[in-house]
Amino acid sequence: MKNFDHSYTKTPDELYELLESSASGIEANEAEKRLRIYGFNTLKEEERSYFSIFLGQFKSPIVAILIAAAMLSLVMGHRTDSMIIVGILIINSLLGFVQEYRAETSIRALKKLTETHVKVIRRGLEALIPSHEVVLGDVILLGEGDLVPADIRLIESHALQADEAILTGESVPSAKEANVLLPIEALPYERNNTLFSGTHIIKGTGVGIVTSTGENTYLASIARSAKEQSPHSPLTRALAIFSKRLILVLIVILLVVGIVGLLQGRSQGEMASILIAELVSAVPEGLPIVVTLILALGAYRLSRHKVLVRHLPSVEALGSASVIATDKTGTITEGFLSVRQTEALDHEELKMCAALCNDASEERGDPAETALVRWIGEEYISIRNNHPRIFYHPFDPQSRFMATINQNDAQERLHIKGAYEALRSMAKNPENELQRLDNAHDAMAHAGLRLLAFGISDEKWEDPSEWNIRIVGLIGFADAAKSGVESAVAQAQEAGIRVVMVTGDNPITAQVIAKEVGIWKEGDTILNGSEIENMDDEELHSVLHGCTVVARALPEHKYRIVKLLQTHGEIVAVTGDGVNDVPALKAADLGIAMGNGSEAAKSTAKMVITDNNLGVIVDAIRQGRIITANLRKVIFYLLATCFDEILLISGAILMGLPLPIHATQILWVNIVTDGVTDKTFPMCREEGNVMKRFPRRLETQFFDRWQVARIGWVSIINASVTLAVFLHLLREGYSYETALTVSFCIIVTSQWVNGILAQKEEEPFFYNIRSSITINPAIWIGIGIGLALQAVALYVVPKWFHAVSPDGEMLAWIGMATVLIFILIESYKWMEWGLKKWIKREEN
């Protein structure tokens, strides 16, 4: 005996035989035996140890560089620097540890969905048992409000409807019918003779036999996908690429400098000092501090925009997203049905029928019936009180209608509600009215509305087969699009972000909503879950190019789409709120859960939005892009300041000159430039409109050809001008201490210049000087602090830094070199700006 994946293809009698059960259930001792063999009806948890999760935080190559920087700082006697770097490493590791451990709770949240009690039949008697004790072959009794404890093949059903939104994302309940057999290829949302673990009963009653428990349920298959390791954020991957390239470049530079120095006859001790100085200057030890500051400030700003960040690196992922795979219900739409359109032959009678042929209150009931309550409004209670119910004919999936008999003044009146086709067959309306209703029905159905017809009769009502009714109208329902979503979609598309709706809803409804909000346009493809089943990865990826709507999607389809897009270089953000979204949320570069969604979704996601609206996500993407731009700017600044020092030292060695900057001075430069200016980059405001720029590819996010060329130019200019002044002063007979002091100061001022110009990447400084000055007022405070510290070093304790206090002539050299560097960098930015404009015109 085993779990049956295809129980929907078998009759109840076949299942009784295969599962060694019967309509009277199984014996108690047999249940205990099966419990021992197959285990409890729960989802297994695979917990990683605290220690293994913590160690996993140290795998990044950037961490190796920072550990090396900490060790070098310690060797050089700078314990404070070393302790700061180690402290940042520990803080970052603890943040990563907390996030990963919290993500492990997603499986526990899934488990909680099955922790309840359930009615079973054992030895012909009803018993109430914990759901985790349910075993294969148990006969289960279910009614309105019950949670389904396992996968169950229905044996009996009476007007049974189940809410499967947690698995499919659909807001419309699924009607269930025991007396059907389905083909083996039927997908989960098509199995209307089956109840799935984790769903719950909205209406009716049913009896079923348990065919799968615990790890073999459909819910468990979703949980297993959630165990996959989440991908590293784009920032983490980009920094990993950067650190590998930096290591390679450093090895080459140090090797060349070391060989040349030894060939020049320099001592091993001198070369060791030089190489250590180069390493100290090369490692951007301020990078993790600034990155953490930018991400933390970004997370704070996002919280003010209704976005809660659970994993700091994911803040930057917002700015990198190239595809948003969004669900429909609750994100694009309101998440509940409402009356969208009516066709009334008699408006008052239609309202009367909608109120009386209804079992809902405003807060509880079938989604369509609660929508009718809201549509009728305050009259709902008074209508029902003035027309008491005499008889009730519940909804029957076979007849496809429900009916009530109510007192109407001195007579009894039949009120009926159901499928238009069912009511039309018993309608006695004039032909012109029926034609009008036919046309309205076809138009509303084509618009993707869920339709109900309403009718009345004052004739005999004892035998439904003899009913003659008059249809009084049609009502169309829809899960309406939220206000502002259309604008949000347009902003995302303008920003070069593809928006794809992935929903469990039917294709017609999905297309109508997608068209309404601008996701689907003429010529776009709509994919169906059943079509995805029959496609290989290559074919699916080809179709996805023009696809904006995926309907009837299962969790595994959404997951597969996300992975396939990632394989082809896309940065994918996924929104979701149900258990069905968990695999895709876990696999996505950025999983975004809804604030009112399931605990499983929120535990898996890296961000949670408190307002379930696509507009909030697009607004968050704007903030993410500002954060990404600031990260790109600070990386440029830090690398340029590192490489200008490397080029300065290397150039001096290759030219056979003494060191133009001392190792102690390098450490001081890092304090008065990087130390006080790079911390101001997080406060930099938006430059231009970031939503009018297309997202960059991962490999070029921080290091495209423009960025690399700019780093190279600034590094070369700073190093060349400094080295030229240093060499000129030596040749003119100035002392080494004087030349060393001047080059020391030029490096400091050139890096301040670079910091000012780096605040704007898209425009030169003088293009809009007002904006350039005000885009980040904090940079001026940082430079002011640096200037004060440098003055103390030069005029109070110059000997500590192997320097002399500069006189007027030395200050003149420093000033001229600084102005020259500003002019050369600003000229390059004008050239780059003009070239980009020309390229853009050519492309258009």
Side-chain angles (χ1 to χ4, degrees):
M1 186 174 62
K2 59 180 182 178
N3 294 275
F4 290 95
D5 294 332
H6 305 125
S7 58
Y8 53 90
T9 66
K10 303 183 185 302
T11 65
D13 287 337
E14 288 175 323
L15 286 173
Y16 281 142
E17 183 178 349
L18 290 167
L19 292 167
E20 299 175 18
S21 184
S22 69
S24 301
I26 58 177
E27 300 284 335
N29 58 353
E30 177 64 20
E32 291 178 7
K33 176 183 174 184
R34 295 183 183 188
L35 206 57
R36 288 195 301 271
I37 295 172
Y38 301 107
F40 287 112
N41 177 37
T42 57
L43 301 181
K44 294 178 182 176
E45 297 180 39
E46 293 184 8
E47 295 186 18
R48 295 164 61 194
S49 70
Y50 294 112
F51 188 64
S52 64
I53 295 175
F54 184 71
L55 284 182
Q57 310 307 312
F58 294 89
K59 294 179 180 178
S60 168
I62 193 71
V63 172
I65 291 180
L66 292 169
I67 291 173
M71 292 175 66
L72 282 170
S73 297
L74 189 61
V75 168
M76 296 292 293
H78 299 277
R79 295 182 181 179
T80 303
D81 290 340
S82 179
M83 288 173 66
I84 289 173
I85 296 170
V86 170
I88 292 297
L89 280 172
I90 292 173
I91 291 170
N92 285 344
S93 299
L94 286 174
L95 286 171
F97 165 77
V98 170
Q99 184 275 327
E100 283 201 36
Y101 188 74
R102 289 182 67 185
E104 296 291 322
T105 61
S106 62
I107 303 303
R108 298 177 200 174
L110 285 166
K111 180 183 175 184
K112 288 179 182 177
L113 292 170
T114 58
E115 289 179 351
T116 184
H117 285 74
V118 64
K119 291 179 184 176
V120 301
I121 298 176
R122 289 192 175 164
R123 299 176 64 185
L125 300 174
E126 268 188 38
L128 189 67
I129 65 170
S131 62
H132 69 267
E133 293 182 8
V134 168
V135 296
L136 286 174
D138 260 331
V139 176
I140 307 287
L141 304 176
L142 293 164
E144 186 174 328
D146 285 345
L147 191 70
V148 180
D151 288 354
I152 295 169
R153 167 65 163 93
L154 287 168
I155 299 166
E156 297 177 21
S157 61
H158 304 281
L160 189 64
Q161 293 187 22
D163 181 356
E164 296 181 341
I166 199 167
L167 298 178
T168 65
E170 275 199 77
S171 55
V172 177
S174 176
K176 297 295 181 178
E177 176 57 47
N179 299 322
V180 294
L181 289 179
L182 299 169
I184 197 167
E185 62 271 14
L187 295 172
Y189 56 75
E190 298 171 329
R191 298 173 195 170
N192 58 349
N193 62 5
T194 301
L195 294 171
F196 295 102
S197 176
T199 63
H200 67 274
I201 307 301
I202 287 184
K203 256 188 175 184
T205 60
V207 180
I209 184 169
V210 174
T211 57
S212 293
T213 61
E215 287 293 305
N216 296 295
T217 62
Y218 182 56
L219 180 67
S221 69
I222 298 175
R224 280 192 291 275
S225 298
K227 294 177 185 176
E228 179 180 323
Q229 186 70 28
S230 292
H232 290 297
S233 72
L235 173 62
T236 306
R237 282 180 278 167
L239 289 178
I241 293 170
F242 149 70
S243 57
K244 290 174 184 175
R245 291 175 179 174
L246 178 60
I247 290 171
L248 184 61
V249 170
L250 287 179
I251 289 173
V252 172
I253 291 175
L254 294 178
L255 193 61
V256 170
V257 170
I259 292 172
V260 171
L262 291 173
L263 291 175
Q264 290 174 344
R266 297 177 189 261
S267 68
Q268 292 182 357
E270 183 186 2
M271 286 311 303
S273 177
I274 291 171
L275 294 179
I276 287 175
E278 293 226 44
L279 271 175
V280 170
S281 63
V283 177
E285 68 274 7
L287 185 59
I289 304 171
V290 181
V291 167
T292 301
L293 281 174
I294 289 177
L295 295 180
L297 183 60
Y300 169 71
R301 286 174 176 168
L302 286 169
S303 69
R304 295 164 59 188
H305 291 261
K306 303 178 182 178
V307 179
L308 307 178
V309 178
R310 295 184 61 247
H311 181 49
L312 270 185
S314 63
V315 171
E316 183 275 331
L318 273 171
S320 304
S322 57
V323 177
I324 299 175
T326 176
D327 60 347
K328 176 181 74 72
T329 307
T331 306
I332 302 293
T333 64
E334 296 288 356
F336 55 83
L337 290 179
S338 57
V339 172
R340 189 74 172 272
Q341 189 176 340
T342 63
E343 181 67 28
L345 300 179
D346 186 322
H347 186 76
E348 289 304 314
E349 290 288 6
L350 178 60
K351 187 186 292 184
M352 179 88 69
C353 190
L356 298 177
C357 195
N358 196 324
D359 291 329
S361 65
E362 188 173 357
E363 298 82 17
R364 185 175 178 183
D366 177 89
E369 292 187 338
T370 56
L372 289 173
V373 174
R374 291 190 296 272
W375 175 65
I376 296 165
E378 295 178 357
E379 296 178 68
Y380 180 73
I381 300 298
S382 61
I383 292 173
R384 290 174 70 88
N385 289 340
N386 294 331
H387 300 83
R389 183 179 292 185
I390 299 169
F391 175 78
Y392 173 57
H393 185 286
F395 176 81
D396 183 349
Q398 295 296 326
S399 62
R400 300 174 67 200
F401 64 75
M402 71 168 285
T404 63
I405 310 298
N406 297 81
Q407 193 68 41
N408 185 44
D409 296 329
Q411 67 180 42
E412 297 169 351
R413 171 170 285 180
L414 169 74
H415 300 91
I416 185 170
K417 172 187 73 181
Y420 176 64
E421 296 84 355
L423 269 64
R424 197 185 191 286
S425 65
M426 59 181 84
K428 299 302 179 185
N429 296 59
E431 189 60 35
N432 64 319
E433 289 185 353
L434 290 176
Q435 187 61 50
R436 175 182 166 183
L437 291 168
D438 287 345
N439 293 338
H441 171 271
D442 292 346
M444 285 193 267
H446 184 71
L449 302 183
R450 183 188 179 194
L451 283 168
L452 284 176
F454 297 80
I456 59 172
S457 176
D458 293 321
E459 300 181 16
K460 293 180 180 180
W461 53 267
E462 287 81 1
D463 185 357
S465 64
E466 297 180 3
W467 288 352
N468 292 317
I469 68 166
R470 176 176 177 253
I471 299 177
V472 294
L474 301 174
I475 295 180
F477 304 84
D479 185 3
K482 290 182 175 180
S483 62
V485 169
E486 185 176 4
S487 172
V489 170
Q491 285 184 56
Q493 291 170 341
E494 186 182 23
I497 302 170
R498 286 179 58 201
V499 182
V500 182
M501 181 198 291
V502 186
T503 176
D505 218 334
N506 68 73
I508 295 176
T509 304
Q511 180 184 359
V512 169
I513 291 293
K515 183 178 181 180
E516 183 179 340
V517 299
I519 292 176
W520 184 88
K521 297 180 177 64
E522 290 294 335
D524 288 352
T525 305
I526 297 177
L527 262 180
N528 204 311
S530 57
E531 295 173 330
I532 294 175
E533 290 282 320
N534 299 317
M535 291 182 182
D536 59 28
D537 284 353
E538 187 175 342
E539 186 180 2
L540 178 57
H541 180 258
S542 176
V543 174
L544 283 174
H545 275 300
C547 176
T548 51
V549 176
V550 182
R552 288 299 188 198
L554 296 174
E556 50 266 39
H557 297 153
K558 193 170 184 179
Y559 170 84
R560 184 182 170 200
I561 288 168
V562 170
K563 296 294 286 185
L564 198 56
L565 290 170
Q566 289 173 325
T567 302
H568 288 80
E570 304 285 359
I571 304 297
V572 185
V574 169
T575 72
D577 56 3
V579 178
N580 61 309
D581 298 309
V582 166
L585 287 170
K586 191 75 178 283
D589 296 288
L590 178 61
I592 307 171
M594 306 297 110
N596 63 356
S598 69
E599 285 304 313
K602 286 186 282 188
S603 297
T604 302
K606 292 177 180 175
M607 284 187 181
V608 178
I609 62 172
T610 57
D611 183 352
N612 300 6
N613 194 314
L614 186 68
V616 174
I617 296 171
V618 173
D619 188 36
I621 286 174
R622 173 184 291 277
Q623 298 302 317
R625 287 198 169 186
I626 296 171
I627 292 162
T628 300
N630 288 345
L631 279 170
R632 182 177 165 90
K633 290 173 184 178
V634 79
I635 287 172
F636 157 73
Y637 170 71
L638 289 174
L639 289 186
T641 58
C642 287
F643 279 106
D644 64 8
E645 294 169 15
I646 293 174
L647 292 176
L648 176 63
I649 296 170
S650 301
I653 298 302
L654 295 175
M655 293 172 68
L657 299 173
L659 281 180
I661 187 167
H662 195 275
T664 306
Q665 292 174 341
I666 291 173
L667 291 170
W668 181 250
V669 168
N670 292 343
I671 293 173
V672 297
T673 58
D674 298 354
V676 292
T677 54
D678 61 7
K679 311 304 182 295
T680 67
F681 276 76
M683 275 68 83
C684 191
R685 297 166 183 161
E686 180 178 5
E687 181 183 355
N689 186 347
V690 294
M691 295 303 282
K692 288 191 175 181
R693 302 170 200 154
F694 277 35
R696 293 182 174 93
R697 307 290 291 181
L698 175 64
E699 59 273 14
T700 61
Q701 179 65 274
F702 301 111
F703 304 102
D704 59 4
R705 63 180 185 273
W706 300 105
Q707 178 92 316
V708 171
R710 201 180 307 115
I711 290 171
W713 176 259
V714 171
S715 301
I716 291 169
I717 290 301
N718 288 354
S720 299
V721 172
T722 306
L723 190 58
V725 173
F726 177 73
L727 179 60
H728 174 76
L729 292 176
L730 289 179
R731 287 179 175 175
E732 290 297 315
Y734 289 88
S735 68
Y736 173 65
E737 287 75 14
T738 297
L740 183 64
T741 300
V742 170
S743 62
F744 169 41
C745 291
I746 293 173
I747 279 293
V748 170
T749 56
S750 68
Q751 292 184 8
W752 287 340
V753 165
N754 186 28
I756 293 169
L757 297 180
Q759 299 304 306
K760 294 181 76 174
E761 179 183 0
E762 302 297 323
E763 295 176 350
F765 184 85
F766 286 111
Y767 181 80
N768 186 341
I769 192 166
R770 181 184 179 86
S771 168
S772 299
I773 293 171
T774 59
I775 192 170
N776 187 7
I779 188 71
W780 305 106
I781 297 173
I783 290 174
I785 294 171
L787 187 60
L789 290 173
Q790 184 72 354
V792 170
L794 294 174
Y795 292 101
V796 179
V797 286
K799 291 184 179 179
W800 291 8
F801 300 100
H802 306 273
V804 294
S805 297
D807 55 20
E809 187 179 358
M810 293 169 66
L811 290 173
W813 280 109
I814 295 166
M816 286 189 295
T818 303
V819 171
L820 178 61
I821 287 170
F822 182 96
I823 292 170
L824 290 173
I825 297 176
E826 176 71 355
S827 299
Y828 179 86
K829 293 193 73 172
W830 276 98
M831 181 191 70
E832 182 185 306
W833 179 77
L835 186 58
K836 283 182 177 178
K837 290 282 186 183
W838 178 80
I839 291 172
K840 192 172 182 179
R841 282 197 302 269
E842 289 296 309
E843 288 176 347
N844 293 334

